[in-house]
Amino acid sequence: MVPDTAVRRRELLAGATGALAATSGCIGELRNLAGRERTDQLSLRISTTPAGDDPYAIQIANHVADNLADSGIETTVDAMGPDVLLREILVNHDFDIYVTRYPSQGTPDELRSMLYSAYGEESGWQNPFGISDLGLDELLDEQRTVDGEARAETIAEIQRQLVRDQPFTTVAFPDRIGAVRSDRFDGWPAGGIGEPTGYLRLTRVGESPSLRAALRGDRITRNRNPIAAEYRDQGALIGLLYEPLFRSVEGSETPVPWLARGIEFDDDDPAVATVQLRRTPWHDGEAVTARDVAFTYEFLKDTSLGEFDTPVPTPWRRGRVSLVEDVSVHSDGQLRIEFTTENRSLAYRALDVNVLPEHVWRERSEAASLAGIDIVGQTTEALVSANEEPVGSGPVRFEEASPRESLSLVRFDDHFLHGGDTDGIPPRIAGAAAFDRIDFTTTPSAEAAVRLLAEDESDGVADGLQASAVPSIVRAEGVSLTLDESDAFYHVGYNCRRSPLADPRFRRAIAGHLDRAFVVDELLGGYGRPSELPLKGQWAPAELEWDGEASVPFLGDAGAIDIERARQAFRDAGYQYDDDELITRGGS
């Protein structure tokens, strides 16, 4: 039995060896195939806000998503609350693509905050895309060192590179649409109130001293932190409570002295200035001093005040703070500021930062914790505090709030405006406010806000409306429609940290799925202007000004994508299809 078994084993081994020899080429191919990554259909998530919060944003997101789906990309639209969206894109950087409105004021230095490589890991509107381009960085730095035509050309070149590389895709400038009554208060700005001083322009015509405003967004009813990135994207309301040294005021060519009585630039060193402060108190009665100003700039550069290994800068107004090199106190009412630029227009931009009371905010430099447990090692209490009872220095002070329902502010009689200290301030916003209090009531929709006005339960809408509300405004008795152009723009943002969005050719192909004319005419109801540039006017290169078609043209017609043209655009960018699906290696 044993010899037979041994013979059989040798026969089997010999057969196996021959079989292996015969199939060695197949096994080599099998190993080669097994070592290659699988391919899957590319999938992308587009983050935005629900229609109840911003109907424009979600309609633009759906427009892009539908066209990308036709081009073979598995695309989903993820609608989330505005604070959640901003937290995901500005703090966590957890997104593929997003659609929202950028709160631009039309100033070129905003682009440095949006695009500077070194800001790619910070929170806030500091390079949320994660773009890294040393050549672009040089241009962004250069625009801070030149002036006049040289600066205009530098800004134009920055915009050319934006259109070429598409870290984000500008869509359109929506019109500001406001709805107001004039039987109790008059003097409403065009387009409604878009900045804090807009409230100071109002005049009382009725007997009631209470101003009633409908509020579309409810974030300030839940959080009043002036530097919380996910809650502050406009700043019109928080700017009633907290104030800067100088304000940019609509209709004024130069910034207006506010907490500062004036500024004097050094004749020998254009980057240095002395600032005199007005005498005015905080809402808790403490005096606003030069030490508060110096603390504010130090604190916003590093909210940990040097206690962490790595600085934790403010996610709000970061670009403005970076224009200040040093602040030194001469006396309670005087300070010396050294800027990082000799360009005075940029220096004034640095002074438009909300000043914080040191006696309130210094203790918020500690690591954020929950019941004594460190939750995020590089986050300070300053960035996560809800700041429920804010202590500012504005012409109104906080009285009370009901989360998601209402907010009440009352006139702060000790403010310098109410006391007549108005040197350097335009007459239209100087002097005591026309109201004793402002009561904001949140509404679930634009139509609900208009109903409050029609029923004489509100005097105006605080934060703007969309085109769908216009017919209701026009029909409502006693309600007026007011319009104005806007510097804020809708855009599609890309997470350039992720493949294939890191590839500018791929981003350009996506940009070709956006029909700006269709967006403005159909989705914005004609209340806006198409653009592929984030800055207009003197900063726009002539060849890129809107003439009906973008330089990265829409790959279709009347909002609908031409499938073959779109797929060819992806192929030209180096990507492949499996049947009708755009594929990626190793999963999406």
Side-chain angles (χ1 to χ4, degrees):
M1 294 290 294
V2 175
D4 290 345
T5 303
V7 170
R8 181 59 179 162
R9 184 180 296 119
R10 286 194 296 270
E11 291 174 350
L12 289 172
L13 288 171
T17 301
L20 285 172
T23 60
S24 61
C26 294
I27 289 177
E29 291 179 10
L30 182 61
R31 288 172 176 166
N32 196 14
L33 287 171
R36 293 176 180 268
E37 293 180 335
R38 64 187 176 87
T39 58
D40 289 326
Q41 183 181 18
L42 175 65
S43 65
L44 293 173
R45 176 171 59 103
I46 303 179
S47 303
T48 190
T49 49
D53 293 297
D54 189 339
Y56 291 165
I58 196 166
Q59 289 181 84
I60 295 169
N62 285 330
H63 167 66
V64 175
D66 289 345
N67 286 337
L68 288 176
D70 287 343
S71 296
I73 298 176
E74 183 182 21
T75 314
T76 58
V77 174
D78 189 4
M80 57 193 77
D83 52 322
V84 178
L85 175 71
L86 292 178
R87 187 180 304 120
E88 291 297 278
I89 64 177
L90 303 184
V91 179
N92 298 327
H93 300 153
D94 184 15
F95 66 95
D96 294 333
I97 300 173
Y98 71 82
V99 177
T100 192
R101 182 178 58 172
Y102 178 71
S104 175
Q105 294 181 322
T107 56
D109 197 55
E110 291 173 354
L111 296 180
R112 190 177 185 277
S113 298
M114 288 185 76
L115 299 162
Y116 205 57
S117 297
Y119 295 162
E121 297 305 315
E122 293 188 10
S123 298
W125 283 113
Q126 282 68 250
N127 194 358
F129 324 106
I131 190 74
S132 182
D133 186 322
L134 295 181
L136 185 58
D137 288 348
E138 291 178 359
L139 289 171
L140 293 167
D141 282 336
E142 180 183 325
Q143 60 87 26
R144 285 188 163 186
T145 64
V146 294
D147 208 344
E149 292 184 6
R151 186 165 189 247
E153 178 51 38
T154 302
I155 300 300
E157 181 56 30
I158 291 171
Q159 298 213 82
R160 292 186 187 101
Q161 292 201 23
L162 289 183
V163 172
R164 183 193 68 193
D165 296 338
Q166 297 287 321
F168 64 88
T169 299
T170 304
V171 182
F173 293 92
D175 288 341
R176 286 169 44 199
I177 301 175
V180 301
R181 298 185 66 94
S182 300
D183 48 355
R184 287 160 43 97
F185 291 90
D186 205 354
W188 296 94
I193 295 178
E195 57 184 31
T197 53
Y199 291 91
L200 301 176
R201 295 177 55 175
L202 299 179
T203 57
R204 192 196 307 180
V205 261
E207 295 182 359
S208 175
S210 297
L211 177 65
R212 307 162 303 172
L215 189 62
R216 291 283 297 106
D218 66 7
R219 281 177 289 174
I220 197 167
T221 69
R222 296 180 284 122
N223 182 295
R224 287 166 287 282
N225 186 334
I227 60 173
E230 61 267 49
Y231 290 94
R232 305 281 88 81
D233 62 340
Q234 296 292 324
L237 295 186
I238 207 71
L240 285 169
L241 300 171
Y242 291 92
E243 300 185 299
L245 295 172
F246 277 72
R247 278 198 184 280
S248 297
V249 176
E250 189 173 354
S252 297
E253 294 184 3
T254 58
V256 170
W258 205 253
L259 286 179
R261 185 180 300 280
I263 185 171
E264 183 176 342
F265 286 90
D266 194 313
D267 291 334
D268 297 325
D269 190 345
V272 173
T274 300
V275 174
Q276 299 283 344
L277 296 182
R278 301 181 195 271
R279 290 187 178 275
T280 196
W282 296 106
H283 294 156
D284 62 2
E286 296 283 334
V288 177
T289 69
R291 293 188 63 86
D292 290 310
V293 178
F295 164 79
T296 296
Y297 284 96
E298 177 190 9
F299 187 66
L300 296 182
K301 286 182 179 180
D302 178 12
T303 59
S304 79
L305 294 176
E307 292 300 313
F308 290 2
D309 293 335
T310 303
V312 184
T314 172
W316 182 243
R317 300 291 193 249
R318 173 76 162 93
R320 298 171 191 249
V321 174
S322 70
L323 289 162
V324 173
E325 183 67 36
D326 183 64
V327 180
S328 56
V329 176
H330 284 187
S331 65
D332 282 350
Q334 188 181 82
L335 50 95
R336 177 183 182 274
I337 300 180
E338 181 181 348
F339 300 98
T340 60
T341 178
E342 296 182 359
N343 184 320
R344 290 192 179 181
S345 65
L346 284 171
Y348 278 115
R349 173 172 158 78
L351 302 177
D352 193 357
V353 173
N354 288 331
V355 176
L356 305 175
E358 181 178 8
H359 64 281
V360 173
W361 286 84
R362 178 170 285 278
E363 64 184 29
R364 297 179 181 176
S365 62
E366 298 179 353
S369 62
L370 180 64
I373 301 173
D374 187 9
I375 50 175
V376 185
Q378 292 299 307
T379 298
T380 60
E381 286 288 345
L383 301 183
V384 300
S385 168
N387 197 36
E388 293 180 354
E389 297 189 6
V391 177
S393 62
V396 296
R397 61 175 176 81
F398 173 77
E399 183 179 60
E400 62 180 351
S402 179
R404 302 185 186 277
E405 294 182 1
S406 63
L407 169 73
S408 293
L409 308 177
V410 296
R411 190 168 72 177
F412 182 50
D413 289 330
D414 292 333
H415 189 267
F416 61 83
L417 280 179
H418 306 319
D421 184 0
T422 59
D423 290 348
I425 298 176
R428 65 183 181 277
I429 57 174
F435 46 81
D436 289 345
R437 62 185 296 119
I438 313 176
D439 292 312
F440 297 93
T441 301
T442 63
T443 62
S445 66
E447 287 69 22
V450 176
R451 281 199 299 272
L452 283 180
L453 270 77
E455 295 168 2
D456 196 15
E457 295 181 12
S458 176
D459 299 307
V461 179
D463 47 359
L465 299 169
Q466 288 78 36
S468 60
V470 171
S472 300
I473 298 171
V474 173
R475 289 194 300 266
E477 185 176 353
V479 180
S480 299
L481 172 69
T482 175
L483 300 171
D484 197 14
E485 294 186 353
S486 172
D487 289 320
F489 58 86
Y490 281 94
H491 67 293
V492 179
Y494 309 106
N495 195 338
C496 300
R497 307 169 186 86
R498 297 180 177 178
S499 178
L501 295 163
D503 181 358
R505 297 169 302 172
F506 185 81
R507 299 195 298 266
R508 284 176 63 89
I510 292 181
H513 287 64
L514 180 68
D515 186 346
R516 293 171 177 82
F518 171 82
V519 166
V520 171
D521 293 342
E522 301 298 327
L523 307 186
L524 274 62
Y527 291 94
R529 288 154 295 143
S531 178
E532 61 179 332
L533 299 175
L535 297 173
K536 51 186 185 291
Q538 63 175 315
W539 312 114
E543 73 275 12
L544 291 177
E545 289 184 345
W546 184 258
D547 61 359
E549 185 174 354
S551 62
V552 180
F554 176 56
L555 301 169
D557 182 60
I561 201 74
D562 182 322
I563 294 175
E564 202 45 54
R565 284 180 64 194
R567 293 181 179 180
Q568 188 59 47
F570 283 118
R571 292 188 187 100
D572 291 344
Y575 295 86
Q576 298 178 345
Y577 279 86
D578 182 0
D579 291 331
D580 294 332
E581 297 179 351
L582 187 67
I583 58 174
T584 180
R585 295 193 181 279
S588 52

